[in-house]
Amino acid sequence: MASAFLRLGMLTTEYLVSLVPAILFVCILGPLVFWFLGFYKTLIRAFDFRSVNTLATGCALLGVSLAAFAYFRGGFLLPRSTPLIFILVTFMALGTSRIIARWFYVYSLGSNKSRSPILIYGAGEAGNKIASILSGSTEFSLVGFIDDDKTLHGSFMRGRKVYAIKNLDDLVSRYGNIRILLSIKNLTPANKREIFERLNRPGITVQVIPSLTDVVVGRDSIESIREIQIEDLLGRDIVPPIPAIFKDALAGSIVLVTGGGGSIGSEVCKQVVANAPKKLVLLEQSEFALYRIEQQLSALQTEAGTNVSIEYCLGRVDDRKLVAHLLQQHRPDLVVHTAAYKHVPIVENNILEAVRNNIIATNTLADECRKNKIARFMLVSTDKAVRPTNIMGATKRFAEMVIQSQAEEAGVSIFSMVRFGNVLGSSGSVVPLFKEQIAKGGPVTVTHKEITRYFMTIPEAAQLVIQAAYIATGGEVFVLDMGEPVKIDALARMAVRLSGKTVRDDENPTGDIAIEYVGLRPGEKLYEELLIGGNAAPTEHPKIMQASEICLEKAKLKAFLEQLEKAVSLSDPSLAIKILNETVSGIKLDNRHQDAQKITERNSVVTFAR
């Protein structure tokens, strides 16, 4: 009737009676058409462009059907333009009603909640998809987009304006604290660092969103937006594993991992399990660490639907009988030795335990692997083994020389080692320490303003360790490309800013968190190195280099090993330090170790994550 009225301007009683068949026809056919198109199944809060397209299609079908009905019916007067007007009126009536209902759902029902103002960084395809998902949220309020493309500034997308970064201060004044979501595809850590530095200012919180694929398939939701982490900014651009030397090598193999409950060891175990080995064997001396990795691997297998055979062994690597039994029982194709004490200050006060665990245990394991003709052995070492200034580094360098010596007479066994720096999120890392200090209100403690360290992620470190093991031909010292070193002072300041607080210093005396310089710890260096010499050759993997470094003659090394075993048996730390000073190249142990006899050695085992 509305369509006819708009066309004729007035309706008589006789004409209304003649329209009854057409009205009945539309009332019956209309619901059927829209039901068939799925229009009624569309949720009000999800009414979008596709829903509009469906509505338009239904209205067009009804209009054509009405015109055909009028033509064949012939019993009432229907102007030819009326079906077209009918299409427009129906489209506007149904569309407007749903837009109003959606507005009521999103805004009115969400008015009692604190709706956080959101800016999306990137007005491209990814930003558009995120805006579409956010449009139905009652928790977030999209206020616009931020983009570096000057040609987009001032334009609108999904009814929201595209701003430049220079407009952020004005937006904060208008809306208060604002979250900025990073939505650009394939953001590298370097890109994130650059963007964060440009966006970082009072009133702005930079956050990252889950993968759009994860959101679509239901593995994650848009509500799980999280704040950007230090790991996001410090992580390196990941180089994917080479299948021929990673997945293909692990498939169907038997792998033994010592220290399987530690930071690196546990990740190595996860990488191995994910690549269909025949069996995984873990050796771990911490009951809690072994329990924890058992739970993690069990959950991993359940999620992936795999059933890898895993053996969990509680014991010490220096137990020769236990090690020999494990090797003979399981016959591993690869042994990854990650077990070690690595926390510098603790090791400084437990010299003999470090010698026993880091050196003697390594020699025991390597010796039994050679006797049992194990195909491959990989020692996980550290950058602190290069010209060490602490006991931990000295013991790890001696352990490297043990493996170099074993490689000379290994026969069918291939012995090698891999050396790298700090891994993000490992135990003893400064990152969790900084987070804890910030949560307590500070201060954040930094040993020295100029101290630097290398960083990489735990998953990448584990992948590179495994790949290095299969690249090896025997005796190599592999060095992982750690990227550029990071100043710990800059890292601390970044951690404060990421927490939404400001640094209190001379430039900003009213800041929230102070940075306190506490001085280098015993045995700590300002700069870590990865090479003893300057010679590093490339390998088939772009992130793995091969170094050629000198080693003691086997006879001398064996004699020094016997002396170290004697030092442990006699509880004589001064003898252990004397041997380390004589054997480790470039060692720089300072005077505090000259009175090592007075150090109280603990006989109890203290376990630290590897």
Side-chain angles (χ1 to χ4, degrees):
M1 288 190 299
S3 303
F5 179 79
L6 291 173
R7 170 64 179 82
L8 300 174
M10 61 176 294
L11 298 176
T12 64
T13 303
E14 293 79 12
Y15 187 71
L16 287 174
V17 172
S18 68
L19 289 181
V20 170
I23 294 173
L24 293 175
F25 174 78
V26 170
C27 290
I28 295 173
L29 182 62
L32 294 176
V33 169
F34 286 116
W35 178 85
F36 179 78
L37 293 175
F39 182 70
Y40 295 131
K41 297 179 180 180
T42 303
L43 298 175
I44 294 296
R45 63 178 181 272
F47 192 75
D48 56 9
F49 178 77
R50 291 185 180 181
S51 303
V52 172
N53 186 52
T54 301
L55 175 61
T57 302
C59 292
L61 288 175
L62 274 180
V64 172
S65 299
L66 178 62
F69 179 84
Y71 176 77
F72 289 107
R73 178 74 169 78
F76 62 92
L77 181 63
L78 188 66
R80 286 174 293 181
S81 60
T82 302
L84 179 60
I85 298 174
F86 170 80
I87 292 173
L88 297 176
V89 170
T90 304
F91 179 81
M92 292 179 63
L94 293 178
T96 301
S97 65
R98 277 157 177 77
I99 290 174
I100 293 174
R102 184 180 180 279
W103 178 90
F104 178 78
Y105 176 85
V106 173
Y107 292 93
S108 297
L109 295 184
S111 61
N112 294 327
K113 299 182 180 180
S114 178
R115 304 180 71 243
S116 302
I118 292 284
L119 283 169
I120 295 177
Y121 188 93
E125 179 183 355
N128 185 42
K129 290 180 179 178
I130 295 301
S132 174
I133 297 173
L134 285 175
S135 62
S137 173
T138 58
E139 182 177 351
F140 306 116
S141 172
L142 178 62
V143 299
F145 298 83
I146 294 290
D147 204 288
D148 296 324
D149 188 347
K150 295 181 180 179
T151 62
L152 297 178
H153 295 165
S155 60
F156 288 81
M157 184 166 74
R158 289 190 169 271
R160 299 294 186 269
K161 192 173 182 179
V162 179
Y163 298 95
I165 290 180
K166 65 181 181 180
N167 300 127
L168 283 179
D169 292 334
D170 293 336
L171 291 171
V172 170
S173 299
R174 187 189 313 173
Y175 296 102
N177 294 333
I178 297 178
R179 307 187 194 190
I180 297 183
L181 305 185
L182 298 184
S183 66
I184 299 176
K185 289 183 178 180
N186 304 320
L187 268 181
T188 66
N191 294 145
K192 290 178 183 177
R193 285 195 296 271
E194 179 185 356
I195 292 171
F196 175 75
E197 291 298 332
R198 296 172 61 202
L199 298 179
N200 180 53
R201 63 194 67 202
I204 294 292
T205 301
V206 182
Q207 298 184 310
V208 292
I209 57 175
S211 162
L212 287 177
T213 301
D214 290 343
V215 172
V216 170
V217 302
R219 287 195 298 264
D220 213 334
S221 71
I222 195 63
E223 307 298 331
S224 60
I225 295 170
R226 63 172 177 83
E227 293 188 4
I228 194 167
Q229 302 292 320
I230 297 177
E231 292 83 350
D232 296 317
L233 304 179
L234 287 184
R236 302 158 62 255
D237 296 344
I238 302 296
V239 176
I242 299 175
I245 55 175
F246 187 73
K247 185 173 182 178
D248 296 348
L250 287 175
S253 64
I254 300 174
V255 181
L256 168 64
V257 179
T258 70
S263 302
I264 295 297
S266 61
E267 183 61 33
V268 169
C269 291
K270 294 173 186 176
Q271 298 285 348
V272 170
V273 167
N275 286 280
K278 182 178 180 180
K279 182 188 292 184
L280 171 65
V281 183
L282 288 80
L283 177 57
E284 170 61 57
Q285 70 175 16
S286 166
E287 181 185 26
F288 174 72
L290 194 64
Y291 166 77
R292 184 176 55 186
I293 186 61
E294 180 184 16
Q295 297 299 305
Q296 292 173 352
L297 292 180
S298 176
L300 182 64
Q301 293 220 76
T302 300
E303 182 179 348
T306 58
N307 188 28
V308 175
S309 175
I310 305 178
E311 297 286 340
Y312 299 93
C313 180
L314 185 64
R316 296 162 60 114
V317 183
D318 65 331
D319 185 338
R320 188 176 288 272
K321 289 184 179 180
L322 172 62
V323 168
H325 172 72
L326 289 176
L327 296 177
Q328 292 164 12
Q329 179 184 7
H330 300 290
R331 305 301 305 172
D333 303 293
L334 168 64
V335 172
V336 182
H337 182 37
T338 74
Y341 292 144
K342 70 171 189 177
H343 198 279
V344 172
I346 300 295
V347 171
E348 289 295 295
N349 293 318
N350 293 272
I351 298 171
L352 295 181
E353 184 61 24
V355 169
R356 183 201 61 77
N357 192 61
N358 292 2
I359 297 176
I360 297 175
T362 298
N363 182 66
T364 299
L365 178 63
D367 198 41
E368 289 300 323
C369 284
R370 177 179 55 79
K371 291 178 181 179
N372 287 276
K373 299 181 180 179
I374 301 303
R376 295 182 181 274
F377 179 102
M378 172 58 72
L379 168 69
V380 175
S381 189
T382 170
D383 55 1
K384 292 177 176 62
V386 179
R387 284 177 279 277
T389 58
N390 52 63
I391 295 298
M392 194 279 279
T395 57
K396 291 299 288 183
R397 176 54 191 150
F398 198 106
E400 289 181 353
M401 292 191 292
V402 167
I403 301 306
Q404 288 176 296
S405 176
Q406 290 282 357
E408 293 179 1
E409 59 170 344
V412 297
S413 300
I414 296 176
F415 287 87
S416 58
M417 65 222 75
V418 61
R419 185 189 294 157
F420 54 92
N422 299 274
V423 288
L424 294 169
S426 67
S427 93
S429 170
V430 296
V431 174
L433 174 62
F434 287 167
K435 291 179 179 178
E436 181 181 342
Q437 291 175 335
I438 292 170
K440 293 179 179 179
V444 172
T445 57
V446 176
T447 55
H448 194 283
K449 195 170 186 177
E450 299 300 322
I451 194 170
T452 64
R453 290 293 181 266
Y454 292 97
F455 288 95
M456 72 190 316
T457 63
I458 293 179
E460 185 181 17
Q463 288 179 2
L464 293 176
V465 165
I466 295 171
Q467 291 177 97
Y470 286 101
I471 291 174
T473 57
E476 299 95 338
V477 178
F478 291 108
V479 179
L480 303 187
D481 178 4
M482 299 293 295
E484 295 297 322
V486 177
K487 271 194 172 185
I488 302 301
D489 180 56
L491 181 64
R493 294 173 182 274
M494 186 185 300
V496 172
R497 295 199 302 270
L498 284 172
S499 69
K501 302 182 184 300
T502 58
V503 176
R504 184 166 69 246
D505 53 19
D506 294 339
E507 296 181 1
N508 184 24
T510 61
D512 303 309
I513 305 291
I515 305 291
E516 182 178 318
Y517 302 102
V518 296
L520 293 175
R521 298 175 299 181
E524 192 170 35
K525 294 192 291 185
L526 278 178
Y527 313 102
E528 298 291 2
E529 306 168 88
L530 290 171
L531 295 172
I532 294 177
N535 52 342
T539 67
E540 56 189 289
H541 195 290
K543 292 295 183 181
I544 302 176
M545 299 176 291
Q546 177 182 331
S548 178
E549 297 179 353
I550 60 173
C551 178
L552 289 174
E553 295 178 5
K554 183 172 180 58
K556 290 184 178 180
L557 186 68
K558 183 178 180 181
F560 285 130
L561 266 172
E562 292 174 352
Q563 289 295 306
L564 287 174
E565 291 175 350
K566 180 180 178 182
V568 172
S569 64
L570 296 177
S571 296
D572 187 355
S574 62
L575 176 58
I577 291 175
K578 178 177 179 294
I579 299 302
L580 292 175
N581 274 318
E582 292 178 6
T583 55
V584 177
S585 174
I587 193 169
K588 298 177 182 177
L589 296 180
D590 58 35
N591 293 333
R592 71 187 179 284
H593 292 115
Q594 292 180 0
D595 198 20
Q597 287 280 15
K598 297 180 181 179
I599 298 178
T600 301
E601 293 294 328
R602 296 184 179 93
N603 292 322
S604 59
V605 177
V606 183
T607 300
F608 299 96
R610 289 64 174 171

